[in-house]
Amino acid sequence: MSLRNKIFITFSLLLLLPLIIVGLVVQHIFISSKSEEVITKVENTIIQLNHNLDLMLEDASRSTITLLYNKELVNVLREYDMDTPENYKKYNHIQLLSLFLASITFNKDQIYGMHVFTNNGQLFSHMDNYRIEDHINLQEQEWYVKAKEQRGGWITYYDENPIYYKNNTEKYVSFLRLLRDPENQQELGVIRIDFSPEYLKEITQQLGSENWQISTAQNEPFMGSQSDHLLANCIKNQSWVENKKSGRMYLCVTHTSTKTGLKISNVIPKDYLYSEIKEFNSFLLLLIGFCLLISVLISYYLTNYLLKPLELLKMRISLFQKNKLSNSNHIQSKDEIVELRAAYDGMLFDIDYLVEEVYEISLRNSEAEYKALQSQMDPHFLFNTLESINMKAINNDQFEISDMIAQLGKLIRYRLKNEEQQIPLQEEIIFAKTYVSIMKNRLEDALDVYWQVEEEVVDHLVPKYIIQPLIENSVMHGYSNRVKRVEILVKVKMIGSALTISVSDNGSGIDDSGLLKIKESLKYSTLNNNDGENLTQHKNGIALVNINRRLRLIHGINSMLHISSKEGEGTEVEIIIRK
């Protein structure tokens, strides 16, 4: 993939990814809060409705019990047993019971009618004879049978067509209780309260759904959408039920009264639940699409603006690599990247000039054996160093090349500024640290070099190029697939009158046969003038033989180089300089 495409994609992602992440988080929060808000609202509505029904039934229960505390009324009901003729009904009894029932229903909008049915079917009510029958066959009524089964307990009953009302088409929810004589517990009849359909319709309108149902404590539906199969499957609160015909999903919300046992169930269509969420999602997608378009335009502009000078830089480097760079081309621009390209061109010419100059100096230094040995290190060192720079340039698109070239300049100047055979140890350490800095740019965290140098030895004179080649060997030959992190320890100290320099690493080490060849070359290199020609398979031996011979030439046979290594554990090289 080209650099242009990489930068274009990077800018687009940097602009778009935060927006998408924020959008998804906001969407999740909105969906959660909105769903919880709707569910909570429906639950609160059901709870409030159940509370209203509890109050209504509790009031009805108290009203039906009141009659049994009135002895005069109880005595009236005792006269209407099963043996009493159906047409027997005293006027004063009618007035007494009608007045009592009217007083209970006064100013209670929830009650449509309150009636007392005696054992022989006589009906007493606060209503007039134009709206209600005089008597009925009580034994044939289903609700009477259910009331008797409760033996004085109350029940609720949904009656689609009460027979005791004249010209009536309404459906009623009723409260019934069997009346029993307080003295002997004999049945006196049934009291029935019919709740107002308008009142029930008014308090159930707040459910806001066609699919709702009110069931008794025995799980018998008596009000609402009684035949709806969705409500039949609505058992657990906040569970999902599916309409098999349409495939639509519904949320089931239920609440059961702890006082009356009434259970209210309501199913909410998923479409209704997520209607506002769909609108929000549409808006969010539109916003993301708009931002995507803006990010693409911005990324395209920035890519062209930034890469045009870089493409020119790439072309100049390519021309230099083909030896086609012309000194006559001079760039005049205030653009920072263009100025960097011009500076880089100049540095390339300087490097080319310095490399040629170093090469010429190396040829002139071939007069003496020491200078010949020292010049042997130059092409080997420059090759490895320039290779490191090249690797870094390729792996990192050349953004850090200026830093590495600056470090290389320091190394070359160190090589050219001083032709003495020996230099202070401090300068050699600085040179080695400069090389380590270049390698750190390449290997980053994969390389760590630790220094332990006694302060009193930094002015001690040592041959040039004795520490850096050892560190280079540890880096080049210690790093492997098994050793992902190279750690090098450099220790410099005085042991008696001898200066000791050791470089150890945790690298791959050298096998026994290779180590034996290196030691043999070190042993016979001085006598046989062997510079390491037989070490083609162990290139680190070339640098070791070179250093060993220079030590002996300058400081005599008592100064030497020792090497120890174990395959898989690392290598240690020790230099001993005696005066």
Side-chain angles (χ1 to χ4, degrees):
M1 184 182 292
S2 66
L3 180 61
R4 176 185 295 274
N5 292 336
K6 290 180 180 179
I7 295 180
F8 178 76
I9 294 174
T10 301
F11 275 124
S12 299
L13 292 178
L14 287 176
L15 293 172
L16 191 59
L17 280 180
L19 177 65
I20 294 176
I21 294 173
V22 171
L24 292 176
V25 172
V26 171
Q27 182 195 39
H28 175 73
I29 295 175
F30 179 80
I31 290 175
S32 300
S33 61
K34 198 64 184 177
S35 300
E36 184 177 352
E37 177 185 343
V38 174
I39 294 172
T40 302
K41 181 179 178 181
V42 174
E43 285 185 332
N44 290 338
T45 301
I46 291 178
I47 292 173
Q48 182 61 43
L49 175 58
N50 229 338
H51 179 69
N52 293 338
L53 292 177
D54 288 347
L55 294 177
M56 186 178 72
L57 294 177
E58 287 175 358
D59 181 66
S61 179
R62 288 191 298 270
S63 299
T64 57
I65 292 294
T66 305
L67 185 147
L68 298 177
Y69 290 97
N70 191 318
K71 291 184 178 181
E72 186 177 5
L73 296 178
V74 172
N75 290 330
V76 170
L77 295 178
R78 288 172 180 166
E79 294 188 21
Y80 297 87
D81 56 16
M82 296 295 296
D83 298 329
T84 305
E86 291 182 359
N87 57 359
Y88 174 77
K89 198 174 187 181
K90 292 183 180 181
Y91 178 76
N92 63 325
H93 293 171
I94 297 174
Q95 293 296 323
L96 184 62
L97 282 170
S98 297
L99 181 61
F100 171 77
L101 297 176
S103 65
I104 293 178
T105 58
F106 177 73
N107 204 27
K108 292 184 178 179
D109 297 336
Q110 70 270 26
I111 297 178
Y112 176 76
M114 190 171 184
H115 319 291
V116 176
F117 299 86
T118 63
N119 286 332
N120 67 341
Q122 293 291 349
L123 190 155
F124 294 92
S125 175
H126 62 95
M127 296 182 176
D128 54 51
N129 293 331
Y130 295 102
R131 292 188 295 168
I132 198 164
E133 299 290 347
D134 186 59
H135 69 275
I136 63 173
N137 188 345
L138 189 61
Q139 304 300 324
E140 296 179 354
Q141 304 305 312
E142 180 185 4
W143 49 266
Y144 173 69
V145 176
K146 291 186 176 183
K148 287 188 66 175
E149 291 174 353
Q150 296 299 316
R151 303 183 61 83
W154 62 269
I155 65 168
T156 55
Y157 186 78
Y158 183 72
D159 202 338
E160 296 185 359
N161 186 22
I163 64 171
Y164 48 84
Y165 286 121
K166 296 178 179 180
N167 302 322
N168 178 72
T169 58
E170 292 287 349
K171 301 176 182 179
Y172 294 93
V173 174
S174 303
F175 180 94
L176 295 93
R177 185 193 295 276
L178 185 67
L179 297 176
R180 303 175 69 88
D181 195 323
E183 295 181 2
N184 55 22
Q185 296 299 307
Q186 295 294 322
E187 295 182 9
L188 299 176
V190 176
I191 185 170
R192 174 167 174 165
I193 298 177
D194 295 330
F195 297 109
S196 170
E198 288 77 12
Y199 177 79
L200 293 177
K201 183 178 180 180
E202 180 181 345
I203 65 173
T204 55
Q205 278 182 343
Q206 57 188 321
L207 290 175
S209 172
E210 296 180 356
N211 299 303
W212 61 272
Q213 190 177 84
I214 302 176
S215 305
T216 65
Q218 291 74 33
N219 204 29
E220 296 178 355
F222 71 89
M223 188 176 181
S225 304
Q226 299 183 42
S227 61
D228 197 325
H229 73 280
L230 290 174
L231 294 168
N233 296 326
C234 183
I235 300 174
K236 185 179 179 181
N237 188 34
Q238 294 192 22
S239 60
W240 290 96
V241 294
E242 181 181 4
N243 188 325
K244 300 297 183 181
K245 294 181 179 180
S246 63
R248 296 175 63 189
M249 298 298 296
Y250 292 79
L251 179 66
C252 171
V253 182
T254 66
H255 180 265
T256 303
S257 171
T258 57
K259 295 181 179 179
T260 62
L262 292 181
K263 177 182 176 182
I264 302 178
S265 304
N266 194 5
V267 288
I268 310 168
K270 187 176 182 180
D271 297 340
Y272 169 78
L273 188 64
Y274 290 100
S275 58
E276 294 188 23
I277 296 176
K278 288 184 178 179
E279 294 178 3
F280 175 79
N281 288 339
S282 299
F283 172 76
L284 184 63
L285 289 176
L286 182 62
L287 179 62
I288 292 177
F290 175 76
C291 293
L292 175 62
L293 177 61
I294 296 299
S295 65
V296 169
L297 294 177
I298 294 175
S299 300
Y300 180 77
Y301 172 77
L302 291 177
T303 301
N304 286 335
Y305 177 77
L306 293 176
L307 286 185
K308 187 175 182 180
L310 293 178
E311 287 179 351
L312 293 176
L313 177 61
K314 178 182 177 181
M315 181 184 66
R316 303 286 285 189
I317 295 174
S318 177
L319 290 175
F320 172 77
Q321 292 172 344
K322 297 177 180 179
N323 296 323
K324 294 181 179 180
L325 191 62
S326 174
N327 291 327
S328 61
N329 294 333
H330 182 66
I331 301 174
Q332 295 181 348
S333 176
K334 295 183 179 181
D335 189 289
E336 291 83 355
I337 298 180
V338 176
E339 292 178 357
L340 175 63
R341 177 168 62 85
Y344 180 71
D345 288 344
M347 293 176 65
L348 291 178
F349 284 115
D350 291 340
I351 291 173
D352 188 36
Y353 171 76
L354 291 174
V355 170
E356 292 180 1
E357 184 176 359
V358 169
Y359 179 72
E360 292 175 0
I361 293 174
S362 298
L363 293 178
R364 290 194 298 267
N365 289 342
S366 59
E367 299 173 359
E369 182 179 3
Y370 173 80
K371 291 185 179 181
L373 292 170
Q374 179 173 292
S375 65
Q376 184 183 15
M377 303 297 297
D378 290 339
H380 183 66
F381 160 69
L382 287 176
F383 175 81
N384 289 330
T385 304
L386 291 176
E387 182 182 10
S388 299
I389 295 176
N390 184 49
M391 290 291 294
K392 188 65 179 179
I394 293 174
N395 293 335
N396 295 275
D397 295 332
Q398 303 183 358
F399 293 126
E400 297 177 1
I401 191 171
S402 60
D403 292 335
M404 297 183 70
I405 292 176
Q407 298 295 335
L408 176 61
K410 292 180 181 180
L411 299 180
I412 296 175
R413 291 186 183 91
Y414 173 81
R415 174 67 182 83
L416 298 177
K417 73 176 182 179
N418 196 344
E419 293 295 329
E420 289 81 11
Q421 292 183 350
Q422 297 194 89
I423 59 172
L425 176 62
Q426 181 67 31
E427 293 187 15
E428 179 66 12
I429 292 175
I430 293 174
F431 173 74
K433 286 184 177 180
T434 303
Y435 170 78
V436 170
S437 177
I438 292 178
M439 299 309 296
K440 285 284 287 183
N441 281 330
R442 173 188 169 189
L443 300 178
E444 299 180 346
D445 294 336
L447 173 65
D448 280 318
V449 180
Y450 305 96
W451 299 82
Q452 295 180 6
V453 181
E454 294 181 353
E455 293 182 359
E456 58 268 24
V457 302
V458 294
D459 295 327
H460 199 289
L461 294 178
V462 297
K464 293 175 66 176
Y465 300 115
I466 63 171
I467 297 179
Q468 180 275 330
L470 302 181
I471 295 176
E472 180 181 353
N473 282 343
S474 295
V475 175
M476 296 300 176
H477 304 287
Y479 189 81
S480 67
N481 292 331
R482 188 187 65 81
V483 180
K484 299 298 183 181
R485 179 185 179 91
V486 178
E487 295 181 355
I488 301 173
L489 175 61
V490 181
K491 295 191 293 186
V492 182
K493 60 182 178 179
M494 293 293 297
I495 300 179
S497 60
L499 176 66
T500 302
I501 303 172
S502 69
V503 178
S504 59
D505 62 68
N506 66 332
S508 306
I510 306 171
D511 57 31
D512 293 339
S513 61
L515 183 62
L516 180 60
K517 290 181 180 180
I518 293 175
K519 288 184 177 181
E520 289 177 353
S521 296
L522 291 174
K523 181 178 180 180
Y524 300 108
S525 60
T526 304
L527 296 176
N528 301 330
N529 195 27
N530 184 350
D531 295 337
E533 305 88 42
N534 298 325
L535 298 174
T536 55
Q537 294 181 350
H538 299 277
K539 296 181 180 179
N540 52 347
I542 298 176
L544 299 180
V545 170
N546 189 292
I547 294 172
N548 187 51
R549 293 193 65 189
R550 286 191 285 127
L551 286 173
R552 290 174 177 269
L553 287 171
I554 297 174
H555 296 285
I557 60 175
N558 291 328
S559 297
M560 63 191 70
L561 180 147
H562 294 289
I563 180 171
S564 60
S565 180
K566 189 171 184 180
E567 187 174 7
E569 294 184 5
T571 302
E572 181 179 7
V573 178
E574 184 179 46
I575 295 175
I576 300 175
I577 301 176
R578 293 187 177 93
K579 294 184 178 180

